Amino acid sequence: MPSLIGCHALVWTGEFDAAGITSSVERTKAAGFDLVEFPLMDPYTFDAATARKALGDADLTGSASLGLPEHADISSEDPAVVAAGVDLLRTALDRVAEMGGTRLCGVLYGSMRKHMAPLSERGRANSVAAIRDLAGRAAAVGVHLSLEVVNRYETNVFNTGRGALAYLDAVADTNVSVHLDTYHMNIEESDLFQPFLDTSERLGYVHIGESHRGYLGTGSVDFESTFRALARTGYDGPIVFESFSSAVVSPTLSNTLGIWRNLWTDSEDLAAHANRFIRDHIAAVRTIDLH
Ligand code: MN
């Protein structure tokens, strides 16, 4: 089965009220994508019923991602902070199921921020236990979890595909997979080929982002290796374009990710270009089988 090609909704808007949800779905569809990924930074207020209707009307698949805040960090040593994180994750899971989605991804395993100390053993054990519990609950409602590998300035739990595999070994639940993102890989990994091979058995979600998070092909990410590796391993999970500019601001996400610059202003042009870029690369590397 070919991959679903998707677009992160923050390409369109930082406001996820009913109007923002509906317009981001419609614009994602118009740009040529199969899937839209909603940021669920605040799952308590997310209008899943509106998302479900908009996705159905547009015949688009929905997924969701989040990074835990500091006060709800399941990798904390403080039981109250861990409990807040567990509650946030369970709420996010409910929202994904309510909107008819089947995938929840991102930095689910800890708080997304610059940490000033390494992860403690107890913090790691708390994180693993909470993700194992969430994975069971997710399976019961037909949702699959993918844990995003992000760079050292956004987590201290793991920063490479191999690090994620070691964490998944501890979780020991097949309803959790690895989520790789080329923007983060470009900072932390040896190259943009080997990690896709290393994680291929357990790779469930891929973010396609440029080194500066702007237009694909205008930075230093090695997309030739990326798409060759995905073809070589037969990856068939979602491939989702992620890009951020200060032209579109999310009150919760933009500051956490350090989006201080305007790298683009025309969301429609950016997204249509990304859709073509991803599909063209997939089509080209597929012919390698004929060589
Ligand atoms: Mn990402």
Side-chain angles (χ1 to χ4, degrees), residues 25-255:
V25 169
E26 290 171 350
R27 294 164 84 186
T28 297
K29 180 73 176 183
F33 292 98
D34 312 309
L35 174 151
V36 61
E37 179 184 319
F38 294 107
L40 273 192
M41 300 301 281
D42 183 3
Y44 297 100
T45 63
F46 186 76
D47 183 353
T50 293
R52 185 184 191 98
K53 174 155 194 331
L55 290 167
D57 290 348
D59 190 25
L60 214 63
T61 298
S63 69
S65 59
L66 63 87
L68 291 174
E70 187 169 6
H71 64 81
D73 184 348
I74 60 170
S75 73
S76 170
E77 295 194 357
D78 180 340
V81 174
V82 173
V86 166
D87 189 75
L88 191 154
L89 289 169
R90 288 179 183 175
T91 304
L93 185 59
D94 289 346
R95 294 292 102 86
V96 175
E98 285 161 21
M99 76 173 188
T102 58
R103 288 170 185 277
L104 175 62
C105 59
V107 184
L108 309 177
Y109 49 81
S111 60
M112 189 168 69
R113 62 190 172 89
K114 170 75 167 78
H115 289 259
M116 302 306 284
L119 180 67
S120 70
E121 272 188 43
R122 199 191 324 162
R124 184 180 181 86
N126 288 344
S127 172
V128 165
I131 289 296
R132 187 184 296 132
D133 170 79
L134 189 73
R137 288 169 179 272
V141 293
V143 175
H144 180 75
L145 308 179
S146 297
L147 306 183
E148 183 169 13
V149 182
V150 300
N151 72 75
R152 67 190 69 186
Y153 307 109
E154 298 181 30
T155 183
N156 61 358
V157 179
F158 49 75
N159 303 120
T160 64
R162 285 174 186 250
L165 290 177
Y167 178 97
L168 285 189
D169 282 344
V171 173
D173 189 311
T174 55
N175 195 36
V176 193
S177 60
V178 179
H179 167 183
L180 290 179
D181 178 322
T182 57
Y183 163 80
H184 298 289
M185 294 170 75
N186 188 54
I187 296 170
E188 300 289 358
E189 300 279 8
S190 56
D191 58 50
L192 273 287
F193 193 85
Q194 188 67 34
F196 290 108
L197 270 59
D198 292 342
T199 60
S200 65
E201 302 284 308
R202 298 165 87 177
L203 184 63
Y205 206 91
V206 172
H207 271 167
I208 295 294
E210 198 35 289
S211 53
H212 43 53
R213 292 194 180 275
Y215 268 73
L216 298 181
T218 67
S220 60
V221 170
D222 178 6
F223 287 117
E224 310 312 317
S225 291
T226 297
F227 287 100
R228 282 173 190 238
L230 290 173
R232 179 70 184 80
T233 58
Y235 174 76
D236 61 0
I239 297 177
V240 179
F241 173 55
E242 196 173 41
S243 181
F244 305 101
S245 168
S246 53
V248 175
V249 175
S250 156
T252 47
L253 197 52
S254 298
N255 292 346

Side-chain angles (χ1 to χ4, degrees), residues 2-43:
S3 291
L4 294 173
I5 310 304
C7 183
H8 194 280
L10 209 68
V11 164
W12 310 109
T13 180
E15 288 290 324
F16 291 95
D17 52 8
I21 289 169
T22 302
S23 93
S24 60
V25 169
E26 290 171 350
R27 294 164 84 186
T28 297
K29 180 73 176 183
F33 292 98
D34 312 309
L35 174 151
V36 61
E37 179 184 319
F38 294 107
L40 273 192
M41 300 301 281
D42 183 3

